[in-house]
Amino acid sequence: MRTILSSLRLGITEAHLALLRRTGPIDERGGGRNSDEGFHIGAGAVIGGLILTAVGGYVAKKLGALE
């Protein structure tokens, strides 16, 4: 059991280090263009997806595809 936990901890640590190497330093000052813009783009994509799903469901129901 102890070796399984050790292997799991080692794997998690290696994955974390690989992620840190891949992303590079993180700007923690906040308010940067990239972070704000990324949040807005992400939120717009989610809202757009919700609208598209709702409209698609409405049209499908009117056409009788959901009955």
Short mmCIF file of all heavy atoms in Angstrom, two decimals:
data_model
loop_
_atom_site.label_atom_id
_atom_site.label_comp_id
_atom_site.label_asym_id
_atom_site.label_seq_id
_atom_site.Cartn_x
_atom_site.Cartn_y
_atom_site.Cartn_z
N MET A 1 0.83 -1.19 0.00
CA MET A 1 0.00 0.00 0.00
C MET A 1 0.87 1.25 0.00
O MET A 1 0.55 2.23 -0.66
CB MET A 1 -0.92 -0.04 1.23
CG MET A 1 -1.85 1.11 1.34
SD MET A 1 -3.10 0.98 0.08
CE MET A 1 -4.23 2.21 0.59
N ARG A 2 1.95 1.23 0.75
CA ARG A 2 2.82 2.39 0.84
C ARG A 2 3.49 2.69 -0.50
O ARG A 2 3.65 3.85 -0.87
CB ARG A 2 3.86 2.17 1.93
CG ARG A 2 4.69 3.39 2.22
CD ARG A 2 5.45 3.20 3.52
NE ARG A 2 6.28 4.33 3.81
CZ ARG A 2 5.91 5.37 4.54
NH1 ARG A 2 4.70 5.39 5.05
NH2 ARG A 2 6.72 6.37 4.76
N THR A 3 3.85 1.67 -1.24
CA THR A 3 4.49 1.90 -2.54
C THR A 3 3.50 2.46 -3.55
O THR A 3 3.88 3.25 -4.41
CB THR A 3 5.12 0.61 -3.08
OG1 THR A 3 4.11 -0.39 -3.20
CG2 THR A 3 6.22 0.11 -2.17
N ILE A 4 2.25 2.07 -3.44
CA ILE A 4 1.23 2.60 -4.36
C ILE A 4 1.06 4.10 -4.10
O ILE A 4 1.02 4.90 -5.04
CB ILE A 4 -0.11 1.85 -4.19
CG1 ILE A 4 0.04 0.40 -4.64
CG2 ILE A 4 -1.22 2.55 -4.97
CD1 ILE A 4 -1.16 -0.46 -4.35
N LEU A 5 0.98 4.48 -2.82
CA LEU A 5 0.83 5.90 -2.49
C LEU A 5 2.06 6.70 -2.91
O LEU A 5 1.94 7.82 -3.42
CB LEU A 5 0.57 6.08 -1.00
CG LEU A 5 -0.80 5.63 -0.49
CD1 LEU A 5 -0.89 5.76 1.01
CD2 LEU A 5 -1.89 6.43 -1.16
N SER A 6 3.23 6.12 -2.71
CA SER A 6 4.46 6.80 -3.12
C SER A 6 4.49 7.00 -4.63
O SER A 6 4.87 8.06 -5.12
CB SER A 6 5.69 6.01 -2.67
OG SER A 6 5.74 5.94 -1.27
N SER A 7 4.10 5.97 -5.36
CA SER A 7 4.07 6.07 -6.82
C SER A 7 3.04 7.11 -7.28
O SER A 7 3.29 7.87 -8.22
CB SER A 7 3.73 4.72 -7.44
OG SER A 7 4.72 3.78 -7.13
N LEU A 8 1.91 7.14 -6.60
CA LEU A 8 0.87 8.11 -6.94
C LEU A 8 1.35 9.53 -6.67
O LEU A 8 1.18 10.42 -7.50
CB LEU A 8 -0.41 7.82 -6.14
CG LEU A 8 -1.61 8.68 -6.44
CD1 LEU A 8 -2.04 8.52 -7.89
CD2 LEU A 8 -2.76 8.33 -5.52
N ARG A 9 1.98 9.74 -5.51
CA ARG A 9 2.52 11.08 -5.19
C ARG A 9 3.58 11.50 -6.20
O ARG A 9 3.62 12.65 -6.63
CB ARG A 9 3.11 11.07 -3.78
CG ARG A 9 2.09 11.10 -2.70
CD ARG A 9 2.75 11.25 -1.34
NE ARG A 9 1.77 11.03 -0.30
CZ ARG A 9 1.91 10.18 0.70
NH1 ARG A 9 3.01 9.46 0.82
NH2 ARG A 9 0.96 10.05 1.61
N LEU A 10 4.45 10.57 -6.56
CA LEU A 10 5.50 10.88 -7.54
C LEU A 10 4.89 11.25 -8.89
O LEU A 10 5.30 12.21 -9.53
CB LEU A 10 6.45 9.69 -7.69
CG LEU A 10 7.58 9.87 -8.70
CD1 LEU A 10 8.48 11.02 -8.29
CD2 LEU A 10 8.37 8.59 -8.84
N GLY A 11 3.87 10.50 -9.31
CA GLY A 11 3.21 10.80 -10.58
C GLY A 11 2.54 12.15 -10.58
O GLY A 11 2.62 12.91 -11.56
N ILE A 12 1.88 12.50 -9.48
CA ILE A 12 1.22 13.80 -9.37
C ILE A 12 2.25 14.92 -9.39
O ILE A 12 2.07 15.95 -10.06
CB ILE A 12 0.34 13.85 -8.11
CG1 ILE A 12 -0.86 12.92 -8.27
CG2 ILE A 12 -0.12 15.27 -7.81
CD1 ILE A 12 -1.67 12.74 -7.02
N THR A 13 3.34 14.72 -8.67
CA THR A 13 4.40 15.74 -8.63
C THR A 13 5.01 15.94 -10.02
O THR A 13 5.24 17.07 -10.46
CB THR A 13 5.49 15.34 -7.62
OG1 THR A 13 4.88 15.19 -6.34
CG2 THR A 13 6.58 16.38 -7.54
N GLU A 14 5.26 14.84 -10.72
CA GLU A 14 5.83 14.95 -12.07
C GLU A 14 4.87 15.65 -13.02
O GLU A 14 5.29 16.46 -13.85
CB GLU A 14 6.21 13.56 -12.59
CG GLU A 14 7.43 12.98 -11.90
CD GLU A 14 7.75 11.57 -12.36
OE1 GLU A 14 6.89 10.93 -13.01
OE2 GLU A 14 8.85 11.10 -12.06
N ALA A 15 3.58 15.34 -12.92
CA ALA A 15 2.59 15.99 -13.77
C ALA A 15 2.52 17.48 -13.46
O ALA A 15 2.43 18.31 -14.38
CB ALA A 15 1.22 15.34 -13.57
N HIS A 16 2.60 17.83 -12.19
CA HIS A 16 2.56 19.24 -11.79
C HIS A 16 3.78 19.98 -12.34
O HIS A 16 3.66 21.10 -12.86
CB HIS A 16 2.50 19.33 -10.27
CG HIS A 16 2.43 20.73 -9.75
ND1 HIS A 16 3.45 21.31 -9.08
CD2 HIS A 16 1.45 21.66 -9.84
CE1 HIS A 16 3.12 22.55 -8.76
NE2 HIS A 16 1.90 22.78 -9.21
N LEU A 17 4.95 19.38 -12.21
CA LEU A 17 6.16 20.02 -12.73
C LEU A 17 6.12 20.16 -14.25
O LEU A 17 6.54 21.18 -14.79
CB LEU A 17 7.40 19.23 -12.30
CG LEU A 17 7.74 19.32 -10.81
CD1 LEU A 17 8.88 18.38 -10.47
CD2 LEU A 17 8.07 20.73 -10.42
N ALA A 18 5.59 19.15 -14.94
CA ALA A 18 5.48 19.22 -16.39
C ALA A 18 4.53 20.35 -16.80
O ALA A 18 4.79 21.09 -17.75
CB ALA A 18 4.99 17.89 -16.95
N LEU A 19 3.45 20.51 -16.05
CA LEU A 19 2.50 21.58 -16.33
C LEU A 19 3.14 22.94 -16.08
O LEU A 19 2.96 23.88 -16.88
CB LEU A 19 1.25 21.42 -15.46
CG LEU A 19 0.15 22.45 -15.65
CD1 LEU A 19 -0.42 22.36 -17.05
CD2 LEU A 19 -0.95 22.25 -14.63
N LEU A 20 3.89 23.07 -15.00
CA LEU A 20 4.57 24.34 -14.72
C LEU A 20 5.59 24.68 -15.80
O LEU A 20 5.70 25.83 -16.21
CB LEU A 20 5.26 24.28 -13.35
CG LEU A 20 4.35 24.35 -12.14
CD1 LEU A 20 5.17 24.18 -10.86
CD2 LEU A 20 3.58 25.64 -12.11
N ARG A 21 6.33 23.67 -16.26
CA ARG A 21 7.30 23.92 -17.33
C ARG A 21 6.60 24.33 -18.62
O ARG A 21 7.09 25.15 -19.38
CB ARG A 21 8.15 22.67 -17.57
CG ARG A 21 9.30 22.52 -16.61
CD ARG A 21 10.19 21.40 -17.06
NE ARG A 21 9.47 20.14 -17.03
CZ ARG A 21 9.65 19.19 -16.11
NH1 ARG A 21 10.55 19.32 -15.20
NH2 ARG A 21 8.94 18.09 -16.13
N ARG A 22 5.46 23.75 -18.88
CA ARG A 22 4.74 24.01 -20.13
C ARG A 22 4.10 25.40 -20.14
O ARG A 22 4.07 26.08 -21.15
CB ARG A 22 3.68 22.94 -20.31
CG ARG A 22 2.89 23.05 -21.54
CD ARG A 22 3.03 21.85 -22.35
NE ARG A 22 2.22 22.03 -23.55
CZ ARG A 22 2.45 21.46 -24.65
NH1 ARG A 22 3.42 20.61 -24.73
NH2 ARG A 22 1.70 21.67 -25.69
N THR A 23 3.54 25.82 -19.00
CA THR A 23 2.84 27.09 -18.95
C THR A 23 3.76 28.27 -18.69
O THR A 23 3.43 29.39 -19.02
CB THR A 23 1.75 27.08 -17.86
OG1 THR A 23 2.36 26.81 -16.59
CG2 THR A 23 0.69 26.06 -18.16
N GLY A 24 4.89 28.03 -18.07
CA GLY A 24 5.80 29.11 -17.76
C GLY A 24 5.35 29.88 -16.54
O GLY A 24 4.42 29.49 -15.84
N PRO A 25 6.00 30.98 -16.26
CA PRO A 25 5.63 31.75 -15.07
C PRO A 25 4.23 32.36 -15.20
O PRO A 25 3.83 32.78 -16.28
CB PRO A 25 6.70 32.83 -14.99
CG PRO A 25 7.27 32.93 -16.35
CD PRO A 25 7.12 31.58 -16.98
N ILE A 26 3.53 32.38 -14.10
CA ILE A 26 2.17 32.91 -14.09
C ILE A 26 2.20 34.31 -13.49
O ILE A 26 2.79 34.54 -12.44
CB ILE A 26 1.23 32.00 -13.28
CG1 ILE A 26 1.14 30.63 -13.96
CG2 ILE A 26 -0.15 32.62 -13.14
CD1 ILE A 26 0.37 29.61 -13.18
N ASP A 27 1.57 35.25 -14.19
CA ASP A 27 1.51 36.63 -13.71
C ASP A 27 0.40 36.72 -12.67
O ASP A 27 -0.78 36.62 -13.00
CB ASP A 27 1.22 37.56 -14.89
CG ASP A 27 1.21 39.02 -14.48
OD1 ASP A 27 1.60 39.32 -13.34
OD2 ASP A 27 0.82 39.85 -15.32
N GLU A 28 0.77 36.90 -11.42
CA GLU A 28 -0.22 36.94 -10.34
C GLU A 28 -0.60 38.36 -9.95
O GLU A 28 -1.26 38.56 -8.94
CB GLU A 28 0.32 36.17 -9.13
CG GLU A 28 0.48 34.69 -9.41
CD GLU A 28 0.93 33.93 -8.18
OE1 GLU A 28 1.04 34.53 -7.11
OE2 GLU A 28 1.17 32.73 -8.31
N ARG A 29 -0.19 39.33 -10.73
CA ARG A 29 -0.55 40.71 -10.41
C ARG A 29 -2.01 40.99 -10.70
O ARG A 29 -2.61 41.88 -10.15
CB ARG A 29 0.33 41.68 -11.19
CG ARG A 29 1.78 41.64 -10.75
CD ARG A 29 2.60 42.52 -11.61
NE ARG A 29 2.65 41.94 -12.96
CZ ARG A 29 3.28 42.48 -13.98
NH1 ARG A 29 3.90 43.62 -13.83
NH2 ARG A 29 3.29 41.89 -15.15
N GLY A 30 -2.59 40.23 -11.60
CA GLY A 30 -4.00 40.38 -11.92
C GLY A 30 -4.26 41.55 -12.85
O GLY A 30 -3.44 42.45 -12.99
N GLY A 31 -5.40 41.51 -13.50
CA GLY A 31 -5.81 42.61 -14.33
C GLY A 31 -5.10 42.70 -15.66
O GLY A 31 -5.27 43.66 -16.39
N GLY A 32 -4.31 41.70 -15.99
CA GLY A 32 -3.60 41.72 -17.25
C GLY A 32 -4.53 41.48 -18.42
O GLY A 32 -5.61 40.94 -18.29
N ARG A 33 -4.08 41.91 -19.59
CA ARG A 33 -4.90 41.78 -20.79
C ARG A 33 -5.22 40.33 -21.08
O ARG A 33 -6.35 39.98 -21.39
CB ARG A 33 -4.16 42.41 -21.97
CG ARG A 33 -4.91 42.27 -23.26
CD ARG A 33 -4.19 43.00 -24.38
NE ARG A 33 -4.98 42.95 -25.59
CZ ARG A 33 -4.72 42.14 -26.61
NH1 ARG A 33 -3.69 41.35 -26.57
NH2 ARG A 33 -5.48 42.15 -27.68
N ASN A 34 -4.23 39.46 -20.98
CA ASN A 34 -4.44 38.06 -21.34
C ASN A 34 -5.42 37.37 -20.41
O ASN A 34 -6.29 36.64 -20.86
CB ASN A 34 -3.11 37.31 -21.34
CG ASN A 34 -2.23 37.76 -22.48
OD1 ASN A 34 -2.71 38.23 -23.49
ND2 ASN A 34 -0.93 37.61 -22.30
N SER A 35 -5.32 37.61 -19.12
CA SER A 35 -6.23 36.93 -18.20
C SER A 35 -7.66 37.44 -18.36
O SER A 35 -8.60 36.65 -18.44
CB SER A 35 -5.76 37.08 -16.75
OG SER A 35 -5.75 38.44 -16.38
N ASP A 36 -7.83 38.76 -18.43
CA ASP A 36 -9.18 39.31 -18.58
C ASP A 36 -9.79 38.91 -19.92
O ASP A 36 -10.95 38.51 -19.99
CB ASP A 36 -9.16 40.84 -18.48
CG ASP A 36 -8.89 41.31 -17.06
OD1 ASP A 36 -8.99 40.48 -16.14
OD2 ASP A 36 -8.59 42.50 -16.89
N GLU A 37 -9.01 39.01 -20.95
CA GLU A 37 -9.52 38.68 -22.27
C GLU A 37 -9.87 37.20 -22.37
O GLU A 37 -10.88 36.83 -22.96
CB GLU A 37 -8.47 39.05 -23.32
CG GLU A 37 -9.01 39.05 -24.73
CD GLU A 37 -8.02 39.66 -25.71
OE1 GLU A 37 -7.09 40.36 -25.29
OE2 GLU A 37 -8.20 39.41 -26.91
N GLY A 38 -9.05 36.37 -21.76
CA GLY A 38 -9.34 34.93 -21.77
C GLY A 38 -10.63 34.60 -21.06
O GLY A 38 -11.42 33.77 -21.52
N PHE A 39 -10.88 35.26 -19.92
CA PHE A 39 -12.13 35.02 -19.20
C PHE A 39 -13.32 35.48 -20.01
O PHE A 39 -14.36 34.81 -20.06
CB PHE A 39 -12.12 35.73 -17.84
CG PHE A 39 -11.24 35.08 -16.82
CD1 PHE A 39 -10.30 35.83 -16.14
CD2 PHE A 39 -11.34 33.73 -16.54
CE1 PHE A 39 -9.48 35.25 -15.20
CE2 PHE A 39 -10.52 33.13 -15.61
CZ PHE A 39 -9.60 33.89 -14.93
N HIS A 40 -13.19 36.63 -20.69
CA HIS A 40 -14.31 37.12 -21.48
C HIS A 40 -14.59 36.22 -22.68
O HIS A 40 -15.75 35.96 -23.00
CB HIS A 40 -14.04 38.56 -21.94
CG HIS A 40 -14.06 39.54 -20.83
ND1 HIS A 40 -13.09 40.48 -20.67
CD2 HIS A 40 -14.92 39.73 -19.81
CE1 HIS A 40 -13.36 41.21 -19.59
NE2 HIS A 40 -14.46 40.76 -19.05
N ILE A 41 -13.55 35.76 -23.32
CA ILE A 41 -13.73 34.86 -24.47
C ILE A 41 -14.36 33.55 -24.01
O ILE A 41 -15.28 33.03 -24.65
CB ILE A 41 -12.39 34.62 -25.18
CG1 ILE A 41 -11.94 35.92 -25.88
CG2 ILE A 41 -12.48 33.47 -26.18
CD1 ILE A 41 -10.53 35.85 -26.43
N GLY A 42 -13.89 33.02 -22.89
CA GLY A 42 -14.45 31.78 -22.36
C GLY A 42 -15.91 31.93 -21.99
O GLY A 42 -16.74 31.07 -22.30
N ALA A 43 -16.23 33.03 -21.31
CA ALA A 43 -17.62 33.25 -20.92
C ALA A 43 -18.51 33.44 -22.14
O ALA A 43 -19.63 32.93 -22.20
CB ALA A 43 -17.72 34.47 -20.01
N GLY A 44 -18.01 34.15 -23.14
CA GLY A 44 -18.78 34.33 -24.38
C GLY A 44 -19.04 33.02 -25.08
O GLY A 44 -20.13 32.79 -25.62
N ALA A 45 -18.05 32.13 -25.06
CA ALA A 45 -18.23 30.82 -25.69
C ALA A 45 -19.29 30.00 -24.96
O ALA A 45 -20.13 29.35 -25.58
CB ALA A 45 -16.90 30.08 -25.73
N VAL A 46 -19.26 30.04 -23.64
CA VAL A 46 -20.26 29.29 -22.86
C VAL A 46 -21.66 29.86 -23.09
O VAL A 46 -22.61 29.11 -23.32
CB VAL A 46 -19.89 29.33 -21.35
CG1 VAL A 46 -21.02 28.78 -20.51
CG2 VAL A 46 -18.62 28.53 -21.11
N ILE A 47 -21.79 31.17 -23.04
CA ILE A 47 -23.10 31.80 -23.25
C ILE A 47 -23.60 31.53 -24.66
O ILE A 47 -24.77 31.22 -24.87
CB ILE A 47 -23.03 33.31 -22.95
CG1 ILE A 47 -22.79 33.52 -21.45
CG2 ILE A 47 -24.29 34.02 -23.40
CD1 ILE A 47 -22.45 34.93 -21.07
N GLY A 48 -22.70 31.63 -25.65
CA GLY A 48 -23.09 31.33 -27.03
C GLY A 48 -23.55 29.89 -27.19
O GLY A 48 -24.53 29.60 -27.89
N GLY A 49 -22.87 28.97 -26.53
CA GLY A 49 -23.27 27.56 -26.58
C GLY A 49 -24.64 27.33 -25.95
O GLY A 49 -25.44 26.55 -26.46
N LEU A 50 -24.90 28.02 -24.84
CA LEU A 50 -26.21 27.89 -24.20
C LEU A 50 -27.33 28.43 -25.09
O LEU A 50 -28.39 27.81 -25.21
CB LEU A 50 -26.21 28.63 -22.86
CG LEU A 50 -25.42 27.99 -21.73
CD1 LEU A 50 -25.35 28.93 -20.54
CD2 LEU A 50 -26.03 26.67 -21.33
N ILE A 51 -27.08 29.56 -25.71
CA ILE A 51 -28.09 30.14 -26.61
C ILE A 51 -28.34 29.22 -27.79
O ILE A 51 -29.49 28.96 -28.17
CB ILE A 51 -27.66 31.55 -27.05
CG1 ILE A 51 -27.70 32.52 -25.87
CG2 ILE A 51 -28.54 32.05 -28.19
CD1 ILE A 51 -27.09 33.87 -26.14
N LEU A 52 -27.26 28.72 -28.39
CA LEU A 52 -27.39 27.83 -29.53
C LEU A 52 -28.16 26.56 -29.17
O LEU A 52 -29.02 26.10 -29.93
CB LEU A 52 -26.01 27.47 -30.08
CG LEU A 52 -25.97 26.60 -31.32
CD1 LEU A 52 -26.62 27.33 -32.49
CD2 LEU A 52 -24.54 26.23 -31.66
N THR A 53 -27.89 26.00 -27.99
CA THR A 53 -28.60 24.80 -27.54
C THR A 53 -30.08 25.09 -27.32
O THR A 53 -30.94 24.30 -27.72
CB THR A 53 -27.96 24.28 -26.24
OG1 THR A 53 -26.59 24.02 -26.48
CG2 THR A 53 -28.64 23.01 -25.77
N ALA A 54 -30.39 26.22 -26.69
CA ALA A 54 -31.78 26.57 -26.43
C ALA A 54 -32.55 26.80 -27.73
O ALA A 54 -33.67 26.30 -27.90
CB ALA A 54 -31.85 27.81 -25.55
N VAL A 55 -31.96 27.53 -28.65
CA VAL A 55 -32.63 27.78 -29.93
C VAL A 55 -32.79 26.48 -30.72
O VAL A 55 -33.85 26.22 -31.30
CB VAL A 55 -31.85 28.84 -30.75
CG1 VAL A 55 -32.39 28.95 -32.17
CG2 VAL A 55 -31.91 30.19 -30.05
N GLY A 56 -31.77 25.65 -30.71
CA GLY A 56 -31.87 24.37 -31.41
C GLY A 56 -32.95 23.48 -30.82
O GLY A 56 -33.70 22.82 -31.55
N GLY A 57 -33.07 23.46 -29.50
CA GLY A 57 -34.13 22.69 -28.85
C GLY A 57 -35.51 23.23 -29.18
O GLY A 57 -36.45 22.46 -29.42
N TYR A 58 -35.65 24.54 -29.21
CA TYR A 58 -36.93 25.17 -29.54
C TYR A 58 -37.35 24.83 -30.96
O TYR A 58 -38.48 24.43 -31.22
CB TYR A 58 -36.82 26.69 -29.36
CG TYR A 58 -38.06 27.43 -29.75
CD1 TYR A 58 -39.16 27.47 -28.90
CD2 TYR A 58 -38.15 28.10 -30.97
CE1 TYR A 58 -40.32 28.15 -29.26
CE2 TYR A 58 -39.29 28.78 -31.34
CZ TYR A 58 -40.37 28.81 -30.47
OH TYR A 58 -41.52 29.48 -30.84
N VAL A 59 -36.40 24.94 -31.89
CA VAL A 59 -36.71 24.64 -33.30
C VAL A 59 -37.04 23.15 -33.46
O VAL A 59 -37.99 22.79 -34.15
CB VAL A 59 -35.53 25.06 -34.21
CG1 VAL A 59 -35.72 24.55 -35.63
CG2 VAL A 59 -35.37 26.57 -34.20
N ALA A 60 -36.27 22.29 -32.80
CA ALA A 60 -36.54 20.85 -32.91
C ALA A 60 -37.91 20.51 -32.34
O ALA A 60 -38.62 19.67 -32.89
CB ALA A 60 -35.44 20.07 -32.17
N LYS A 61 -38.29 21.15 -31.25
CA LYS A 61 -39.61 20.88 -30.67
C LYS A 61 -40.73 21.37 -31.60
O LYS A 61 -41.73 20.68 -31.79
CB LYS A 61 -39.74 21.57 -29.31
CG LYS A 61 -41.01 21.23 -28.59
CD LYS A 61 -41.03 21.78 -27.18
CE LYS A 61 -42.31 21.35 -26.50
NZ LYS A 61 -42.38 21.84 -25.14
N LYS A 62 -40.53 22.54 -32.22
CA LYS A 62 -41.55 23.06 -33.14
C LYS A 62 -41.68 22.17 -34.38
O LYS A 62 -42.76 22.04 -34.94
CB LYS A 62 -41.20 24.48 -33.58
CG LYS A 62 -41.45 25.51 -32.50
CD LYS A 62 -42.93 25.60 -32.18
CE LYS A 62 -43.21 26.69 -31.17
NZ LYS A 62 -44.59 26.76 -30.81
N LEU A 63 -40.57 21.56 -34.80
CA LEU A 63 -40.61 20.68 -35.97
C LEU A 63 -41.11 19.27 -35.61
O LEU A 63 -41.31 18.46 -36.49
CB LEU A 63 -39.23 20.58 -36.60
CG LEU A 63 -38.70 21.86 -37.26
CD1 LEU A 63 -37.27 21.65 -37.74
CD2 LEU A 63 -39.58 22.26 -38.42
N GLY A 64 -41.26 19.01 -34.32
CA GLY A 64 -41.77 17.71 -33.89
C GLY A 64 -40.70 16.65 -33.76
O GLY A 64 -41.00 15.48 -33.63
N ALA A 65 -39.45 17.05 -33.78
CA ALA A 65 -38.36 16.08 -33.69
C ALA A 65 -38.17 15.52 -32.29
O ALA A 65 -37.55 14.49 -32.11
CB ALA A 65 -37.06 16.72 -34.18
N LEU A 66 -38.72 16.19 -31.29
CA LEU A 66 -38.53 15.74 -29.92
C LEU A 66 -39.73 14.97 -29.38
O LEU A 66 -39.79 14.66 -28.20
CB LEU A 66 -38.26 16.96 -29.00
CG LEU A 66 -36.99 17.74 -29.32
CD1 LEU A 66 -36.87 18.94 -28.40
CD2 LEU A 66 -35.77 16.86 -29.21
N GLU A 67 -40.67 14.63 -30.22
CA GLU A 67 -41.87 13.91 -29.76
C GLU A 67 -41.81 12.46 -30.14
O GLU A 67 -41.20 12.02 -31.01
CB GLU A 67 -43.11 14.57 -30.33
CG GLU A 67 -43.29 15.97 -29.81
CD GLU A 67 -44.48 16.65 -30.44
OE1 GLU A 67 -45.19 16.05 -31.25
OE2 GLU A 67 -44.70 17.83 -30.10
#
